[in-house]
């Protein structure tokens, strides 16, 4: 990784943190509900009547009620965890591979 | 691919395809049961050919070079991570990104349809997020329309000789944004406004999704560039095997 790239990454990371934090600080006290929910509210507004979904999520049918909030966040974390695990595993291998290649080159010299 | 692997993949894909055709489909964040059954079916049918093309595309890529599987796994994992994070936005509500741009640039848009459908199934079944009935419509917006736009923009930028990282940023960012535009359109189709019809309702739904999504689309563009820089630094052989041009 070149110095230039390192700099770019640091700047980009700072920028992304700023993008996430700024709305939270700017809109203190806002609810930060899901925009999916805002969508269903809009459905009611547009059609002028409350919409009754004709199907319920399969897991909720199985549970016989709404998915508890804590469980939902657990499952979201599982999803994130799987993703991060896979990325970190392969990226780690790539980094090590490059290091070993470099060492070999140096030895040959 | 060994026989066993091929069987496994075909099984998973046929399951995914079966789910796509079940006469109850949805869109990325169109919730379970929020589209009329007829529309669910139509979106499912529309998404289906892209999934089939995606399956063959992935098969061909892997047959060409087995090593591509690491990057494929990473692209899928990227979608997993990115679409699991609910990010606060300027409108005071939260939404999440799609993460499909990276895979679209590396493997082509149809391959991402398969990766996207896996994530959508995960969320629909376990997280009550999206839904099985709305799977077809969600697949179309997130795993078909988004990646195709990303890919198109990336290729266009290459032709116009735009800076590589800028083109990656634009592709990922606009692909994400378009996903939500398509979702708005799908909802508007299902719910035309009582006064003014569909056009009014497109504007209304866009009004909900677009401002929320805009900063997130920028964020997705930035994150995709970061991952791409990392891959360019450490995974050159794999990128070269994919025919991905280096800057």
């Amino acid at each position: 990784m070149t110095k230039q790239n390192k700099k770019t990454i640091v700047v980009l990371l700072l920028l992304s943190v700023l993008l996430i934090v700024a709305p939270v600080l700017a809109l203190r006290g806002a609810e930060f509900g899901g925009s999916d929910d805002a969508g269903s509210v809009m459905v009611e507004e547009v059609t002028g009547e409350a919409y009754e979904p004709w199907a319920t999520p399969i897991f909720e049918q199985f549970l016989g009620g709404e998915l508890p909030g804590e469980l939902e966040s657990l499952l979201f974390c599982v999803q994130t965890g799987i993703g991060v695990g896979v990325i970190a595993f392969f990226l780690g291998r790539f980094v090590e591979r490059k290091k070993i290649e470099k060492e070999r080159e140096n030895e040959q010299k | 691919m060994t026989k066993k692997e091929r069987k496994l993949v075909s099984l998973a894909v046929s399951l995914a395809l079966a789910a796509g055709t079940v006469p109850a489909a949805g869109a990325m964040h169109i919730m379970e049961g929020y589209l009329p059954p007829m529309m669910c079916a139509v979106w499912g049918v529309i998404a289906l050919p892209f999934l089939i093309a995606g399956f063959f595309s992935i098969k061909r890529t892997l047959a060409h070079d087995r090593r591509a599987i690491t990057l494929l796994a990473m692209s899928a994992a990227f979608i997993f991570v990115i679409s699991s994070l609910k990010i606060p936005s300027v409108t005071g509500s939260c939404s999440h990104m799609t993460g499909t741009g990276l895979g679209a640039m590396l493997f082509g848009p149809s391959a991402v349809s398969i990766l996207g459908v896996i994530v959508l199934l995960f969320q629909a079944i376990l997280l009550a997020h999206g839904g099985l009935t709305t799977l077809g419509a969600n697949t179309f917006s997130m795993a078909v329309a988004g990646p195709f736009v990303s890919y198109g923009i990336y290729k266009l930028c290459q032709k116009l000789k735009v800076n590589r990282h800028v083109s990656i940023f634009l592709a990922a960012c606009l692909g994400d944004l378009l996903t939500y535009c398509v979702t708005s359109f799908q909802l508007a189709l299902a719910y035309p406004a009582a006064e003014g019809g569909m056009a009014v309702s497109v504007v209304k739904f866009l009004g909900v999704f677009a401002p929320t999504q805009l900063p997130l689309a920028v964020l997705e563009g930035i994150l995709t560039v970061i991952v791409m820089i990392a891959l360019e630094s450490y995974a050159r052989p794999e990128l070269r095997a994919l025919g991905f041009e280096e800057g």
Side-chain angles (χ1 to χ4, degrees), chain B residues 1-12 55 59:
Chain B
M1 252 198 249
T2 66
K3 254 195 184 154
K4 202 174 144 203
E5 282 168 331
R6 200 173 301 151
K7 257 190 206 153
L8 197 71
V9 172
S10 337
L11 181 71
F55 173 60
K59 223 170 119 179

Side-chain angles (χ1 to χ4, degrees), chain A residues 70-86, chain B residues 77 80-85 122-123 126-127:
Chain A
E70 294 297 317
L71 265 185
E72 192 185 345
S73 64
L74 168 70
L75 286 167
F76 266 111
C77 286
V78 170
Q79 192 187 337
T80 321
I82 294 172
V84 170
V86 171
Chain B
F80 251 72
V81 176
I82 290 275
S83 64
S84 72
L85 300 173
F122 184 96
Q123 295 197 328
L126 288 178
L127 292 168

Side-chain angles (χ1 to χ4, degrees), chain A:
Chain A
M1 183 153 305
T2 60
K3 259 205 177 132
Q4 176 63 38
N5 274 345
K6 262 184 202 158
K7 240 191 231 158
T8 318
I9 288 188
V10 170
V11 171
L12 289 179
L13 279 179
L14 285 178
L15 213 71
S16 8
V17 171
L18 201 72
L19 260 177
I20 300 173
V21 174
V24 181
L25 293 183
L27 302 170
R28 251 178 291 182
E31 233 173 79
F32 289 112
S35 80
D36 299 2
D37 296 339
S40 54
V41 171
M42 189 56 75
V43 166
E44 282 171 25
E45 213 185 294
V46 166
T47 55
E49 54 196 64
Y51 184 79
E52 199 53 50
W54 60 277
T56 46
I58 186 164
F59 201 45
E60 291 187 353
Q61 276 170 21
F62 181 69
L63 286 178
E66 223 167 83
L67 187 62
E70 294 297 317
L71 265 185
E72 192 185 345
S73 64
L74 168 70
L75 286 167
F76 266 111
C77 286
V78 170
Q79 192 187 337
T80 321
I82 294 172
V84 170
V86 171
I87 292 180
F89 175 75
F90 284 118
L91 202 58
R93 280 181 45 163
F94 288 150
V95 173
E96 284 304 304
R97 183 182 65 186
K98 193 160 187 194
K99 208 168 118 194
I100 291 169
E101 271 171 15
K102 246 194 193 152
E103 275 168 13
R104 270 205 201 127
E105 265 173 36
N106 286 341
E107 271 169 31
Q108 277 168 1
K109 277 174 200 167

